[in-house]
Amino acid sequence: MNHVLCGLAANVSLPSELIDRLIAVADADIAADLARRADLSHAQAVALASRVEESAVSLAYAGLLTAADIDPATQPDGALALLAERAGNPEWARLFAEDPVVERREKLAGCSGLPPDVVETLAADSDVRVVAELALWATPETATGLAAHPHAEVRRAVAANEATPPAVLAALLTGEGLPPAQRCLVCDREEVPFAHDPQCSRLDCDLPSGASCDGSHESTRHETQQMAIRNPATPTEAVVGFVGHPSLLLRWALAGRPDLPSEVCARLAVDSNSGVRADLAENPAIDDALIRVLATDRDHEVRRRLAHNPLIPLDVLTHLAGATRIGATLLPRIASASPEEAEKLAGSPNPAARMLIAQRRDLPPAVRDALAADSDAKVVKSIAPHPGLSEGRLRTMLDRHGVRVVAKVAANPDATPALLEDLARHEPPMRKAFREIARHRDAPAPALLACLADTQARPIAASHAALPPPIIEELLTDADWQVVEAAAANPSLPLAVMSDLIPRL
């Protein structure tokens, strides 16, 4: 891989004439970067797709190619991408429906808006992978027909399709009203009864761990039930009966549904598996009383996930914040807090509550500044990246809390070049701060030069436009390929250097 040319392909300052030269020498890696350019013209997209067939796919998805630009015989992947975007020639669909390459028929089956005769052909395909892919994205009418397909793998796909009618999904859960499946992936390949060894060492075996069939296709039937329970189109009354099911995976699938009745939630809240309880804890279906029950759960992950529930009462949330490792993140309930609630949290005697609201980035100036002057370093770390803080306030934070807030101060979008330069020289050096400085829009050259000394910050700094051009040129021969690509993609790389780097044909 030519990392210099890959970096140049992503350089936003690369002029059109150099893009043309780069297309002329592009390989698959360079083409992948070129295809992502926002300024690629239609003519350049056609030229790139003609040179590197793989690039036609991303160019088609980006809307840079039309049906007139693609030959399905020589660029089948590009043609299929246009069909997926409903921008291809309908005749291509009929061509690919008979393609001997199963992967192409499978890709076609995932396209929407196919002609009815093509859908009919794919539904009768001899390869179950094609039919299953069709079932996964089919219209309600097609999904209904495929629900009775003799292969269990197709039924599993129908159960995952949100367009499948509710009554059909309910039937897939129980099997009632449907003829028994005749085959599954297990009995297609193995003599039944068969249970796949989780430690299977056969190199030619791609059966999933735990796959089994005794003639009833039980592992696929179980997966079909999981898919149906997770499917939001499946009626609530059809899934609630699984609350006491012996299968952990089915109860786990149930716990995430937002339409559960309170009595079902109550039973899941005392499930023996903490994963079930954790998924339930984040579910907005649970009421205030159950939230308070789960707040006392013995499992840390249950309590952490409960903190992410958008309906959790603030008093429960602040209690959890003081006793549970939630992390530096803006929680949904905090994001939706009213101005009055935000002010109350900011003035709370509980530092955990102040730390939560400090994660907001839209606080009124008075609230923001009060939190910036907080005596608790964790609160100050949370508020430090808030826009609008003056250089004086940011420096006061550093004076009071030192290394604990350096990286967060560096992340403030309003940190001045002078402050960033001082942070880059901070003793002891802070590696996290170097990374924040390196990606800061206002980082000055002296600060960026200091960042180059840090292994993780070096590739970030190499891409910064404020880096002096002679330094950028030096980095083009760096031992780290990430640094090389970043330097080549730097918009401040001189035009003459860009030109010299691209081979002339």
Side-chain angles (χ1 to χ4, degrees), residues 397-479:
M397 289 180 185
L398 291 168
D399 292 340
R400 289 179 177 173
H401 303 286
V403 295
R404 291 174 291 181
V405 300
V406 169
K408 295 297 184 180
V409 169
N412 190 290
D414 297 319
T416 63
L419 176 57
L420 293 169
E421 188 172 343
D422 288 345
L423 292 173
R425 293 198 298 260
H426 190 276
E427 290 295 338
M430 296 294 295
R431 296 188 65 184
K432 288 183 179 180
F434 283 133
R435 296 196 291 274
E436 296 293 349
I437 295 166
R439 63 172 62 97
H440 199 288
R441 64 190 179 193
D442 293 329
L448 293 170
L449 292 173
C451 292
L452 288 174
D454 180 79
T455 304
Q456 293 186 37
R458 189 175 177 86
I460 306 171
S463 67
H464 201 292
L467 203 63
I471 301 298
I472 302 173
E473 291 182 54
E474 288 180 17
L475 294 174
L476 292 171
T477 57
D478 198 86

Side-chain angles (χ1 to χ4, degrees), residues 54-429:
E54 300 99 304
S55 67
V57 175
S58 53
L59 291 168
Y61 281 125
L64 292 172
L65 297 176
T66 67
D69 303 321
I70 290 289
D71 178 358
T74 59
Q75 299 168 301
D77 292 336
L80 284 164
L82 282 178
L83 285 171
E85 291 293 293
R86 305 188 74 163
N89 187 327
E91 286 304 313
W92 295 352
R94 296 183 175 92
L95 175 70
F96 286 118
E98 305 290 348
D99 197 295
V101 180
V102 64
E103 288 79 12
R104 292 176 187 163
R105 304 199 308 274
E106 186 178 1
K107 175 69 176 177
L108 176 68
C111 298
S112 60
L114 296 173
D117 60 309
V118 173
V119 174
E120 185 177 345
T121 299
L122 294 171
D125 199 279
S126 60
D127 195 300
V128 68
R129 290 174 292 176
V130 176
V131 188
E133 185 67 16
L134 179 69
L136 188 61
W137 307 105
T139 62
E141 296 76 20
T142 301
T144 297
L146 292 175
H149 195 277
H151 204 289
E153 191 68 15
V154 175
R155 301 185 184 203
R156 175 187 179 279
V158 173
N161 186 343
E162 294 186 14
T164 301
V168 176
L169 290 167
L172 286 167
L173 269 175
T174 62
E176 294 178 9
L178 295 174
Q182 298 172 19
R183 307 190 309 279
C184 70
L185 292 180
V186 180
C187 59
D188 277 351
R189 309 174 193 185
E190 307 290 345
E191 185 176 345
V192 297
F194 178 84
H196 189 219
D197 183 355
Q199 307 301 322
C200 178
S201 59
R202 288 162 44 189
L203 298 179
D204 62 342
C205 181
D206 60 359
L207 287 173
S209 178
S212 64
C213 181
D214 60 5
S216 66
H217 324 297
E218 64 272 13
S219 65
T220 309
R221 188 176 70 251
H222 184 260
E223 290 177 2
T224 300
Q225 291 176 315
Q226 283 186 67
M227 296 298 105
I229 291 173
R230 293 187 187 279
N231 194 325
T234 304
T236 306
E237 59 271 19
V239 302
V240 293
F242 287 85
V243 67
H245 199 280
S247 167
L248 164 62
L249 293 178
L250 296 186
R251 301 196 311 275
W252 209 330
L254 185 64
R257 287 187 62 106
D259 57 350
L260 298 177
S262 57
E263 59 272 18
V264 174
C265 292
R267 289 186 62 182
L268 292 171
V270 294
D271 196 277
S272 60
N273 185 270
S274 62
V276 173
R277 302 197 307 276
D279 273 17
L280 180 71
E282 202 168 354
N283 192 332
I286 61 177
D287 58 24
D288 185 280
L290 203 53
I291 286 175
R292 294 180 186 278
V293 170
L294 289 169
T296 64
D297 196 280
R298 63 186 180 277
D299 188 87
H300 172 269
E301 183 63 12
V302 173
R303 301 193 305 274
R304 190 191 70 80
R305 295 280 295 280
L306 182 65
H308 288 262
N309 191 305
L311 301 181
I312 186 171
L314 287 178
D315 66 307
V316 178
L317 181 54
T318 54
H319 171 75
L320 284 175
T324 307
R325 294 187 303 276
I326 296 173
T329 185
L330 177 60
L331 298 172
R333 180 63 182 88
I334 296 300
S336 65
S338 68
E340 294 76 17
E341 289 173 329
E343 188 172 352
K344 184 177 180 180
L345 286 167
S348 171
N350 183 352
R354 304 197 302 275
M355 183 172 62
L356 288 174
I357 198 61
Q359 289 292 335
R360 287 268 291 261
R361 296 294 174 257
D362 59 350
L363 295 173
V367 174
R368 175 202 65 206
D369 292 346
L371 291 168
D374 202 281
S375 59
D376 191 292
K378 291 182 180 178
V379 176
V380 176
K381 280 180 65 177
S382 295
I383 199 66
H386 197 297
L389 288 169
S390 68
E391 180 176 3
R393 290 192 184 278
L394 293 173
R395 289 188 180 277
T396 298
M397 289 180 185
L398 291 168
D399 292 340
R400 289 179 177 173
H401 303 286
V403 295
R404 291 174 291 181
V405 300
V406 169
K408 295 297 184 180
V409 169
N412 190 290
D414 297 319
T416 63
L419 176 57
L420 293 169
E421 188 172 343
D422 288 345
L423 292 173
R425 293 198 298 260
H426 190 276
E427 290 295 338

